[in-house]
Amino acid sequence: MAKNETKTKSVLMQGNEAIARGALAAGVNFFAGYPITPSTEIAEICSVEMPKMGRKFIQMEDEISSMAAIVGASLAGAKSMTATSGPGFSLMAEGMGYAKMVEAPCVVVNVMRGGPSTGLPTKPSQADIMQARWGTHGDAPSITLYPNSVMESYELAIRAVNLAEKYRTCVTLLSDEVLGHMRERIEIPNLKTIKVVDRVKPTIPPEWYKHYPENPKYPMPLASFGEGYRFHVTGLAHDAKGFPTNKASETAVMMERLRNKIRHNIDDIIQIESFMMEDAKIAIFAAGITSRAAKEAVLMARKKGIRVGMLRPLTIWPFPDEAIKKYLCDKKAIIVPELNEGQLSKAMKRVMGAIWSYELRKSKNIIGLNKNNGELINPEEILKVIKEVK
Amino acid sequence: MSNIPQKQIHKYLRHDKKFPHVWCPGCSNGIVLGATIRAIAELGYEKDEVAMVSGIGCSSRMPVYVDFNTLHSLHGRAIAYATGVKFFKPEMKVVVVTGDGDATAIGGNHFIHAARRNIDITVILINNNIYGMTGGQYSPTTPDGARATTAPYGNIDRTFDICKLAIGAGATFVARTSAYHAQESKLFISKALEHKGFSLVEIVSSCPVIFGRLNKKGSPADMLKDMKDNVITEKKYNELSEDEKADKIPRGIFVEEQVPEFTATYTDLVQSLQKPKDE
């Protein structure tokens, strides 16, 4: 690699802008969205940049149609994305299920704000974590990423687009109001060095083409509308060619494919960060903006000689069960600070409950530290909990 | 009759896979399907360049039977999905097949905004005055007093005039005919497909098995005869007194005008933003 290609560009950037720029770097060429605080900057930046790049930007009449438009565009061959926040994310739920069902690659960004309902539009929250998993009806798969810095917002935006393209699904990229609006210095890589997954076109004759092959290998060749393959797409249960079916056998194959695209590729999809975990007796499990306070709390506790570490999922869904078992099974206590009423800690209890015996459960603890009033959890609050369990 | 032989229609059908179809005996959706295919065949469009998008409902089952790029989407959202297809690939001919409930109840917002935006999508709206697929509930076009399973005492909800709705929203091609007028259906669909901008063809149709039965409308043939008698040309309609108009529905092309089309305007914007090479 030439020397100038590895050179990065140092810029001050806002989290939302980093998501937009990351997505554009990953090749997103279709954006449809609807204004909503605190995600609007993503649409605004796309509206500035995309026409200049010959890419498509449209502001739709609502979030439902934004979601529909990105799936329509995706089926026509676009790398597509939308961005929203809680109320819009709720409206998009049905359309996200459709995208997952018809296996149309696309990315939905949800910059989380306080809920329920209109809630706290200008305050951060992490209360859509379960919605990102179960927001749509039916057993739909979920790939959900959640960065904790502006730099990582850029990187995970690229990763979200790549995962969507590779696994033919709707990927959710979570952020939160603070992450979306704060500014940090980031190093923008040379675009040539960014790894981008581009859709592979099929080369087989159209009559052989199956839009939903029985033995999928990811990434797979994928036809788009208008290229001679003339496939059918439906949200009904469908067979390998995409035609509706009522047969249990064909439905089972379809559901298995949706499930296995995640299950068989867990290692490729999951990303975690472990911080000072080697000798830790107490672990903090935190994601997104809260993990920054958690990291600070770890450093403060270490100064006092308390052996604490932090485990952070960058991939929220699928939940990193194996990493959690590996890193956390021998810890005395697991502290789960989060800006909701215990969504991550419930997921944590499911994993640890399966491996901790009844006896162990008496001596070990999963402690939730929850806040949902629109304020962040600060390092001192986490430190206080650490001291209590020490 | 049409100068397109039956065999040519078969060329556009997925007849070896997806038949028999789901529509009830006597349903007029088949007439509209035939008119649509004849229009496309006569215009000489390649199958590859046509995308047919639908929502949910009886009429929305049409795409699965035709050998185009076909998208059977969510209830009410067909026009929004079609917007994504058309905006990303403006060279494609995008046709939406929808019904009265799909397009004007749950999908009303997308319907009016696509009309306002003047994006080059042709909407073929089959208006059978009822939700057929779910068994006969009243829709925004169920006539005053008509029976539906959710209007057991007669419908008290006021109705939409779908063409007026489209005109109000700024649609640049608006036409109405009925399934009885199969040749006119083909003609209007053909004109709508060739129109550059948002086009609506409302086709008054019949649902003998559900709407007809609930409202004692007689046989499928009787319902077609009703269309012949009651869906009259705009000229004839305008000659009637207000009382006489009550049971009649005007047909014809109500609006046909050239207004800048959305995807073309966007392409112009993109070109205007390209920097000259010497800069």
Side-chain angles (χ1 to χ4, degrees):
Chain A
M1 196 182 288
K3 215 176 187 180
N4 58 354
E5 279 193 10
T6 56
K7 209 176 150 192
T8 59
K9 195 170 132 203
S10 194
V11 288
L12 182 71
M13 199 180 276
Q14 190 196 49
N16 279 344
E17 183 179 357
I19 288 176
R21 304 232 178 246
L24 294 176
V28 166
N29 53 6
F30 189 98
F31 184 100
Y34 186 79
I36 186 166
T37 304
S39 79
T40 306
E41 292 86 358
I42 299 172
E44 287 174 339
I45 290 156
C46 287
S47 77
V48 174
E49 299 302 328
M50 294 182 85
K52 288 195 283 190
M53 302 163 91
R55 302 181 186 185
K56 306 290 166 81
F57 170 89
I58 186 169
Q59 182 173 310
M60 294 296 287
E61 52 271 18
D62 55 25
E63 286 90 349
I64 296 171
S65 51
S66 301
M67 186 65 223
I70 68 165
V71 173
S74 174
L75 292 166
K79 276 190 181 179
S80 62
M81 184 173 100
T82 186
T84 189
S85 186
F89 197 58
S90 292
L91 287 176
M92 287 177 185
E94 188 194 12
M96 292 174 69
Y98 184 86
K100 290 169 182 182
M101 180 68 152
V102 306
E103 302 182 58
C106 58
V107 173
V108 175
V109 180
N110 175 6
V111 185
M112 291 183 284
R113 68 189 222 186
S117 190
T118 312
L120 295 161
T122 59
K123 305 273 188 190
S125 143
Q126 298 180 309
D128 301 348
I129 281 175
M130 279 297 167
Q131 194 187 15
R133 177 65 195 88
W134 300 113
T136 195
H137 60 277
D139 282 322
S142 176
I143 298 178
T144 302
L145 314 180
Y146 190 5
N148 82 342
S149 68
V150 176
M151 184 70 231
E152 216 172 75
S153 295
Y154 185 89
E155 291 164 346
L156 290 196
I158 295 170
R159 192 155 190 268
V161 177
N162 284 345
L163 287 172
E165 290 293 326
K166 185 172 181 183
Y167 294 110
R168 296 182 57 177
T169 192
C170 173
V171 172
T172 302
L173 177 62
L174 293 177
S175 179
D176 53 66
E177 188 278 327
V178 171
L179 202 51
H181 283 157
M182 72 183 188
R183 287 170 201 276
E184 289 182 308
R185 196 180 76 174
I186 75 166
E187 301 293 327
I188 298 276
N190 185 314
L191 289 185
K192 285 180 193 154
T193 66
I194 293 173
K195 253 180 80 181
V196 168
V197 177
D198 283 319
R199 223 171 285 180
V200 184
K201 302 275 179 207
T203 50
I204 55 169
E207 58 272 25
W208 295 357
Y209 179 72
K210 285 179 178 171
H211 200 59
Y212 304 100
E214 288 92 344
N215 298 303
K217 290 193 174 56
Y218 301 98
M220 69 181 73
L222 197 57
S224 304
F225 281 173
E227 293 173 354
Y229 286 86
R230 299 201 301 275
F231 53 94
H232 183 65
V233 177
T234 177
L236 289 165
H238 44 265
D239 62 18
K241 291 244 179 190
F243 293 119
T245 181
N246 263 330
K247 286 184 191 151
S249 58
E250 285 175 342
T251 306
V253 168
M254 180 194 75
M255 292 307 293
E256 203 175 326
R257 185 176 61 247
L258 295 184
R259 184 167 66 245
N260 285 345
K261 72 165 70 177
I262 307 287
R263 198 176 277 183
H264 291 173
N265 298 290
I266 286 274
D267 292 341
D268 186 40
I269 298 167
I270 283 182
Q271 264 190 331
I272 52 154
E273 181 201 356
S274 118
F275 179 69
M276 298 189 133
M277 285 295 292
E278 294 75 20
D279 62 340
K281 288 224 157 72
I282 300 167
I284 304 171
F285 185 73
I289 193 68
T290 307
S291 69
R292 295 174 66 122
K295 199 173 238 180
E296 192 60 32
V298 167
L299 294 172
M300 288 158 76
R302 287 271 171 181
K303 274 189 192 153
K304 295 183 191 303
I306 309 169
R307 279 151 60 182
V308 190
M310 181 187 75
L311 189 69
R312 174 171 76 95
L314 285 75
T315 308
I316 304 281
W317 306 111
F319 203 61
D321 288 24
E322 294 310 313
I324 285 170
K325 286 177 195 165
K326 180 181 150 204
Y327 283 102
L328 304 183
C329 67
D330 61 341
K331 303 301 175 226
K332 186 179 156 198
I334 302 164
I335 302 167
V336 189
E338 51 186 328
L339 301 176
N340 58 51
E341 295 193 356
Q343 302 187 12
L344 282 177
S345 67
K346 282 194 186 87
M348 174 65 70
K349 279 172 190 159
R350 174 185 61 77
V351 178
M352 301 317 284
I355 56 167
W356 281 346
S357 67
Y358 183 71
E359 283 305 308
L360 267 176
R361 263 179 258 172
K362 284 183 199 165
S363 60
K364 291 181 183 290
N365 243 332
I366 294 169
I367 303 152
L369 173 54
N370 308 101
K371 203 181 258 196
N372 60 359
N373 62 357
E375 287 176 354
L376 293 177
I377 293 171
N378 61 42
E380 289 75 16
E381 289 172 290
I382 301 172
L383 185 65
K384 196 171 153 238
V385 180
I386 294 170
K387 283 179 178 167
E388 280 166 12
V389 295
K390 180 171 74 94
Chain B
M1 277 305 289
S2 167
N3 54 2
I4 304 290
Q6 287 296 325
K7 267 189 185 168
Q8 198 153 351
I9 284 179
H10 285 188
K11 213 180 92 182
Y12 292 86
L13 294 176
R14 289 168 171 152
H15 51 84
D16 54 337
K17 297 187 196 98
K18 297 322 297 177
F19 285 80
H21 56 68
V22 296
W23 297 320
C24 305
C27 172
S28 29
N29 285 353
I31 300 172
V32 182
L33 170 60
T36 305
I37 287 176
R38 286 185 180 96
I40 288 171
E42 282 186 8
L43 290 168
Y45 291 170
E46 294 292 326
K47 290 196 273 186
D48 286 337
E49 65 176 338
V50 178
M52 188 183 275
V53 186
S54 68
I56 297 293
C58 295
S59 54
S60 292
R61 285 302 186 97
M62 192 183 289
V64 77
Y65 306 120
V66 290
D67 193 16
F68 301 127
N69 303 278
T70 52
L71 171 52
H72 177 223
S73 76
L74 291 174
H75 195 23
R77 319 298 169 209
I79 294 172
Y81 282 87
T83 298
V85 175
K86 181 69 188 181
F87 187 31
F88 190 68
K89 279 207 170 133
E91 66 274 19
M92 290 191 82
K93 315 280 184 192
V94 181
V95 184
V96 167
V97 182
T98 181
D100 40 314
D102 192 52
T104 68
I106 187 168
N109 202 27
H110 315 308
F111 180 76
I112 58 172
H113 283 278
R116 169 185 64 78
R117 199 173 277 132
N118 197 33
I119 186 163
D120 187 15
I121 292 170
T122 297
V123 176
I124 301 169
L125 195 158
I126 306 177
N127 180 2
N128 64 357
N129 310 111
I130 198 113
Y131 286 89
M133 186 143 280
T134 46
Q137 297 73 37
Y138 69 91
S139 85
T141 64
T142 301
D144 183 30
R147 306 271 165 165
T149 61
T150 48
Y153 313 111
N155 183 29
I156 59 164
D157 241 11
R158 289 185 71 209
T159 58
F160 263 143
D161 178 325
I162 292 173
C163 286
K164 280 187 184 164
L165 178 66
I167 294 165
T172 52
F173 182 100
V174 179
R176 181 194 285 127
T177 183
S178 85
Y180 173 80
H181 302 91
Q183 285 296 312
E184 193 173 77
S185 293
K186 185 195 75 181
L187 178 73
F188 287 178
I189 291 169
S190 177
K191 280 179 183 262
L193 286 165
E194 285 292 274
H195 176 75
K196 198 83 190 126
F198 182 87
S199 52
L200 167 75
V201 182
E202 178 191 349
I203 300 179
V204 176
S205 76
S206 54
C207 170
V209 168
I210 297 171
F211 185 84
R213 187 173 46 84
L214 288 171
N215 291 285
K216 301 192 167 53
K217 292 285 182 189
S219 70
D222 291 334
M223 291 186 81
L224 283 165
K225 275 185 211 147
D226 281 350
M227 289 180 213
K228 181 190 176 189
D229 297 337
N230 296 326
V231 186
I232 56 175
T233 61
E234 196 185 11
K235 190 165 168 283
K236 273 190 194 161
Y237 181 82
N238 288 338
E239 287 163 2
L240 299 176
S241 68
E242 287 307 308
D243 282 352
E244 288 170 320
K245 279 179 181 171
D247 297 332
K248 307 290 182 195
I249 301 167
R251 64 185 162 87
I253 296 171
F254 306 126
V255 173
E256 190 175 13
E257 59 184 16
Q258 289 306 318
V259 171
E261 190 271 328
F262 177 78
T263 64
T265 309
Y266 190 86
T267 304
D268 292 345
L269 169 69
V270 167
Q271 271 160 12
S272 73
L273 292 170
Q274 303 307 308
K275 283 177 192 161
K277 273 178 188 164
D278 54 347
E279 263 187 27

